[in-house]
Amino acid sequence: MAKEVNASDSQNRVLFLKCKISALFERAKRIEDEISADKISALTIIELEVRSNRIAEIKSAFNLAHDSLEELDYNEIGSKVRDDFDELVITAEVRIRGQIQKRQPNQPPCSTFCHDDTTVERTTVPELKLPTFSSGYTEFANLL
């Protein structure tokens, strides 16, 4: 009886994971539709970045669910669903990154690069005269 319950729980878990994977795949497809060639030009860079982040979140959830499914159903290892999902994610990311790159001017990859023409005002710290020590043991007491 206990084995039947465990088998039933396992089958229910497999069905749940398959439904979840299918839903995540559909979400990714909807995002890909939102960034189709005719619609992507209307999106701002921020909207593109948000969609890119959302795709990454969906990818993470998909991989987690699919890994769990593969542990329960060995037939899912190397399945076409994972391959199709990976291809969908790659296509969407390439399209988004390409569009962002087109819109941003070429900038050197430097975190300290100033993006506008403002000048940085430098402040100076006053110089302090530090005591010197010539390493003579008789001068050590004066150093403290």
Side-chain angles (χ1 to χ4, degrees):
M1 179 81 173
K3 287 183 180 181
E4 289 177 19
V5 171
N6 286 341
S8 177
D9 286 346
S10 179
Q11 288 173 345
N12 287 338
R13 182 87 176 136
V14 167
L15 289 174
F16 165 76
L17 290 169
K18 286 183 177 182
C19 286
K20 184 169 181 105
I21 288 167
S22 178
L24 290 167
F25 193 89
E26 289 303 315
R27 271 199 223 157
K29 275 186 181 178
R30 283 193 300 274
I31 291 175
E32 188 196 28
D33 289 343
E34 293 171 4
I35 59 167
S36 63
D38 56 330
K39 296 178 184 177
I40 197 166
S41 59
L43 299 173
T44 66
I45 289 178
I46 293 172
E47 289 172 320
L48 292 170
E49 289 171 347
V50 168
R51 281 171 175 77
S52 178
N53 292 338
R54 187 65 186 129
I55 288 171
E57 291 170 3
I58 292 170
K59 179 182 178 185
S60 178
F62 179 92
N63 286 334
L64 186 65
H66 204 277
D67 289 345
S68 297
L69 177 62
E70 288 174 341
E71 289 176 13
L72 295 171
D73 185 358
Y74 303 125
N75 294 325
E76 293 296 326
I77 295 174
S79 72
K80 186 169 175 12
V81 173
R82 185 175 285 238
D83 293 339
D84 291 346
F85 182 81
D86 286 343
E87 188 59 36
L88 178 77
V89 168
I90 289 168
T91 302
E93 277 298 317
V94 166
R95 191 175 298 149
I96 289 172
R97 289 181 189 179
Q99 189 64 222
I100 290 172
Q101 191 174 22
K102 266 194 233 178
R103 294 183 192 184
Q104 290 181 335
N106 291 335
Q107 297 174 350
C110 178
S111 63
T112 59
F113 180 70
C114 191
H115 296 287
D116 54 12
D117 292 333
T118 60
T119 58
V120 177
E121 185 179 322
R122 296 198 181 267
T123 58
T124 57
V125 177
E127 284 190 36
L128 295 176
K129 181 143 172 71
L130 298 175
T132 57
F133 179 58
S134 65
S135 72
Y137 69 90
T138 57
E139 293 180 26
F140 183 72
N142 295 335
L143 183 65
L144 299 175

